[in-house]
Amino acid sequence: MKTLLISGSPRKGNTEYILKTLFDAIHGEKDLILLKDKSIKHCNGCMSCEKTKECIIDDDMQEVYKLLRESGLIIIGSPNYFTNITGLLKDFVDRTDALYKEKELKDKKLIAIVVGDLPKTEAQKVIDQVFVEFARIHKMDLIGTFAFQAAEPNDLKNNPETKEKIDKILSLIQKDLS
């Protein structure tokens, strides 16, 4: 099964570190998308995708659609911004509306990762308001959610708890894929 990892962070920091670490450890076919390196415009609400089943905006999201369609496991990570995901990731989420009508993400497995200097209750709000709803709307199988505590860009690199959580994610992936 192909794995797609997506980082919604606008900077090179903790979220990117986690996803790159996972990417390096995952065996098989895989892709890593750093949204900060892509040109993905806002959804313009034209609803053309409802009729044509394709988004009319010509940007890097066209490449992302292809990777989403090909992948069986999708891992999405975002820093916490005001108890929400980043604007980069919100644009990505909104643009997946083009995949909604045909249920193109249905039954794909999803792992959600939230990073930030926030209490567990706040991290759970981000998971519930964004990732649980994203999975529900697209009929995806949300197989795991993980919150990492970090305030500064390199907080997670030498933190023993980080390795433990990454190992849990890898174990979950291994278990689910076997």
Side-chain angles (χ1 to χ4, degrees), residues 60-73:
D60 290 340
M61 193 65 186
Q62 299 305 323
E63 169 198 346
V64 177
Y65 290 137
K66 180 181 181 298
L67 294 172
L68 285 165
R69 288 178 177 115
E70 294 171 352
S71 300
L73 171 62

Side-chain angles (χ1 to χ4, degrees), residues 1 6 11 16 67 90 119 131 133 153-154 167 169 178:
M1 176 185 333
I6 301 169
R11 67 180 183 186
E16 186 173 320
L67 294 172
K90 178 65 168 111
F131 294 110
E133 283 303 300
N154 293 308
D167 287 344
I169 295 169
S178 48

Side-chain angles (χ1 to χ4, degrees), residues 43-56 65 94-104 137-138:
C43 175
N44 63 20
C46 70
M47 307 304 280
S48 290
C49 62
E50 298 257 329
K51 297 175 191 111
T52 65
K53 300 170 188 66
E54 298 287 331
C55 181
I56 64 167
Y65 290 137
D94 289 348
R95 294 284 299 282
T96 64
D97 192 45
L99 305 174
Y100 171 73
K101 188 109 173 152
E102 297 297 309
K103 304 286 184 244
E104 294 187 66
I137 288 166
H138 282 292

Side-chain angles (χ1 to χ4, degrees), residues 11-138:
R11 67 180 183 186
K12 184 176 182 172
N14 295 301
T15 304
E16 186 173 320
Y17 169 75
I18 293 165
L19 291 172
K20 281 187 172 181
T21 302
L22 288 169
F23 181 81
D24 291 342
I26 293 171
H27 302 291
E29 204 175 345
K30 60 194 174 184
D31 287 290
L32 172 63
I33 295 173
L34 305 175
L35 293 178
K36 68 181 177 72
D37 296 338
K38 300 292 179 190
S39 173
I40 297 177
K41 297 175 185 162
H42 303 295
C43 175
N44 63 20
C46 70
M47 307 304 280
S48 290
C49 62
E50 298 257 329
K51 297 175 191 111
T52 65
K53 300 170 188 66
E54 298 287 331
C55 181
I56 64 167
I57 300 171
D58 187 20
D59 61 8
D60 290 340
M61 193 65 186
Q62 299 305 323
E63 169 198 346
V64 177
Y65 290 137
K66 180 181 181 298
L67 294 172
L68 285 165
R69 288 178 177 115
E70 294 171 352
S71 300
L73 171 62
I74 300 165
I75 302 171
I76 303 175
S78 179
N80 166 56
Y81 278 28
F82 292 93
T83 316
N84 211 320
I85 56 176
T86 63
L88 287 172
L89 192 57
K90 178 65 168 111
D91 285 339
F92 161 83
V93 167
D94 289 348
R95 294 284 299 282
T96 64
D97 192 45
L99 305 174
Y100 171 73
K101 188 109 173 152
E102 297 297 309
K103 304 286 184 244
E104 294 187 66
L105 299 180
K106 184 179 181 190
D107 297 327
K108 293 184 184 285
K109 298 185 183 318
L110 175 65
I111 294 175
I113 297 169
V114 176
V115 180
D117 188 19
L118 65 168
K120 286 183 182 182
T121 55
E122 294 299 307
Q124 193 59 50
K125 283 181 187 174
V126 177
I127 289 166
D128 290 345
Q129 0 184 101
V130 178
F131 294 110
V132 169
E133 283 303 300
F134 180 76
R136 182 189 66 75
I137 288 166
H138 282 292

Side-chain angles (χ1 to χ4, degrees), residues 155-167:
D155 279 356
L156 297 180
K157 282 187 180 174
N158 297 312
N159 183 333
E161 288 180 28
T162 301
K163 181 167 176 12
E164 288 175 25
K165 282 187 183 176
I166 288 173
D167 287 344

